[in-house]
Amino acid sequence: MPDTNTQFREALAACRKVFVAKLGDYGPSWRIMRPEAITDQLFIKAKRIRTLQVAGQSAVGEGILPEFIGIVNYGIIGIIQLRLGYADCKDINTARAIELYDSIAAEAMELMIKKNTDYNEAWRGMRVLSYVDLILCKIERTKEIEDHQGATAVSEGIDANYFDMINYAVFGIIKLTDDPEN
């Protein structure tokens, strides 16, 4: 059986490569985004994956894999924004953005390792469409929490939902990389 930790690291490295390339194009322009806007961006990406899964084709010729990468990257950006707050302009440089990205990615990996130990590789038996549906569910939960100004009675907060979205998206990346027919 493939090693989950290695596959997870490789998938995160592919996401980081895209993140760094986009930083080269735009800088950390996402610093102006409020968390609610990031949640909406995550919704757009997950909804597009679901549409592509149902339709079986893409009108613009882009596939599901780049959208999962986008979910990972926006999930990490979302956690950064929750921790730093949003800004009115790009207030960090590229090096700082990468440092923050790497720190959050490492936290996501640590969380995955803990949960994967408890769930005993259950993600491997899941369908890719389930990851998408779970991400969409987490987005709806996040919107509710945002609408309540972050208050929850018994549930985890927005950051926990972002981390789960990141990890489900990484599992999707691994599955699609292992078997593109998934």
Side-chain angles (χ1 to χ4, degrees), residues 119-139:
Y119 289 100
N120 193 27
E121 299 280 307
W123 70 272
R124 289 193 184 275
M126 295 171 65
R127 296 175 184 97
V128 173
L129 69 84
S130 294
Y131 305 138
V132 177
D133 289 358
L134 287 165
I135 290 168
L136 284 165
C137 182
K138 293 286 183 179
I139 290 166

Side-chain angles (χ1 to χ4, degrees), residues 70-92:
I71 290 171
V72 170
N73 288 343
Y74 274 108
I76 290 173
I77 287 168
I79 294 167
I80 292 169
Q81 296 299 82
L82 287 173
R83 292 182 180 174
L84 297 184
Y86 63 90
D88 290 328
C89 61
K90 295 186 288 186
D91 63 343
I92 61 174

Side-chain angles (χ1 to χ4, degrees), residues 8-172:
F8 202 90
R9 266 189 225 93
E10 289 169 354
L12 281 175
C15 295
R16 184 184 191 275
K17 184 177 178 181
V18 170
F19 179 82
V20 170
K22 289 194 178 217
L23 273 176
D25 288 345
Y26 312 126
S29 57
W30 45 264
R31 283 291 295 133
I32 67 167
M33 294 179 77
R34 292 171 282 184
E36 295 86 353
I38 293 167
T39 301
D40 287 344
Q41 190 66 27
L42 288 161
F43 173 75
I44 289 167
K45 300 233 169 260
K47 190 70 171 172
R48 181 162 189 276
I49 294 171
R50 190 173 184 164
T51 300
L52 292 173
Q53 288 173 329
V54 171
Q57 61 183 353
S58 169
V60 295
E62 295 175 355
I64 293 171
L65 189 60
E67 300 300 340
F68 273 126
I69 290 170
I71 290 171
V72 170
N73 288 343
Y74 274 108
I76 290 173
I77 287 168
I79 294 167
I80 292 169
Q81 296 299 82
L82 287 173
R83 292 182 180 174
L84 297 184
Y86 63 90
D88 290 328
C89 61
K90 295 186 288 186
D91 63 343
I92 61 174
N93 62 28
T94 299
R96 178 71 176 138
I98 293 169
E99 178 184 307
L100 291 164
Y101 183 97
D102 289 343
S103 174
I104 303 298
E107 286 182 54
M109 173 115 189
E110 288 174 32
L111 177 64
M112 181 282 299
I113 290 169
K114 289 176 185 175
K115 287 188 173 186
N116 198 38
T117 298
D118 288 349
Y119 289 100
N120 193 27
E121 299 280 307
W123 70 272
R124 289 193 184 275
M126 295 171 65
R127 296 175 184 97
V128 173
L129 69 84
S130 294
Y131 305 138
V132 177
D133 289 358
L134 287 165
I135 290 168
L136 284 165
C137 182
K138 293 286 183 179
I139 290 166
E140 288 303 316
R141 291 177 183 179
T142 300
K143 286 180 178 182
E144 285 290 323
I145 296 168
E146 289 168 345
D147 290 347
H148 296 113
Q149 287 71 51
T152 59
V154 296
S155 303
E156 296 177 306
I158 295 168
D159 59 339
N161 283 289
Y162 280 160
F163 273 115
D164 286 345
M165 289 180 234
I166 292 164
N167 287 345
Y168 286 133
V170 171
F171 290 152

